[in-house]
Amino acid sequence: MKKFDEINIIPFIDIMLVLLAIVLITASFISQGKIQVSVPKASSTVAFKSDDLAKLLTVTENGELYFNDKPIAKEALAQEISQWPKDQKVTLKVDAKAPFQEFVSITDLMAKNDIKNVAIVTLKDKGE
């Protein structure tokens, strides 16, 4: 019989790397939200960790509002925002073709409640 002095960890490392890749790919899909929105382009962007931002507000092309990927009326959203602490982090994702009034309405609601920590989701413009 052959005596095993060492454990071969190469297959274990291979499996762990595959699992890591799966987790990273899955996490990137989860963080983007379920509502499909074509966000506007900007010349400069700042990267942030989406898990640090607890609240997600989405406005679709038709002006529909979503709070954490669930439909919500403006009145209900105003009531929800009024209960948030002043330092609440918010991600605002507005479709590029949505009426500008929707964007102004949401930012006005947050300004009334002194919520200033708002990240607006955009795509980086490739430039010319």
Side-chain angles (χ1 to χ4, degrees):
M1 285 209 145
K2 185 177 179 183
K3 184 178 178 188
F4 291 103
D5 291 333
E6 298 176 1
I7 297 175
N8 190 0
I9 63 167
I10 302 289
F12 176 72
I13 292 173
D14 289 343
I15 291 171
M16 295 309 290
L17 287 174
V18 169
L19 290 175
L20 177 66
I22 291 170
V23 167
L24 291 176
I25 290 170
T26 305
S28 67
F29 287 124
I30 291 171
S31 68
Q32 304 221 347
K34 298 172 186 152
I35 310 302
Q36 293 298 319
V37 175
S38 61
V39 293
K41 295 180 181 174
S43 60
S44 64
T45 59
V46 176
F48 63 90
K49 292 182 180 179
S50 59
D51 56 348
D52 289 343
L53 305 174
K55 310 289 184 186
L56 172 64
L57 297 176
T58 307
V59 180
T60 63
E61 182 179 353
N62 303 330
E64 299 166 338
L65 291 171
Y66 292 88
F67 171 59
N68 287 341
D69 295 328
K70 294 178 184 146
I72 191 168
K74 267 190 194 171
E75 296 79 23
L77 180 63
Q79 186 176 10
E80 177 72 30
I81 290 175
S82 67
Q83 298 171 1
W84 293 351
K86 306 275 186 237
D87 62 344
Q88 176 63 53
K89 295 179 180 180
V90 180
T91 304
L92 183 56
K93 194 170 154 184
V94 181
D95 194 291
K97 296 179 183 174
F100 187 65
Q101 181 60 46
E102 298 298 327
F103 174 78
V104 172
S105 298
I106 291 175
T107 54
D108 187 43
L109 279 174
M110 287 189 260
K112 284 180 185 175
N113 293 292
D114 289 331
I115 296 175
K116 297 179 176 140
N117 200 350
V118 180
I120 301 172
V121 178
T122 60
L123 289 176
K124 183 159 174 99
D125 194 8
K126 298 295 181 193
E128 297 167 285

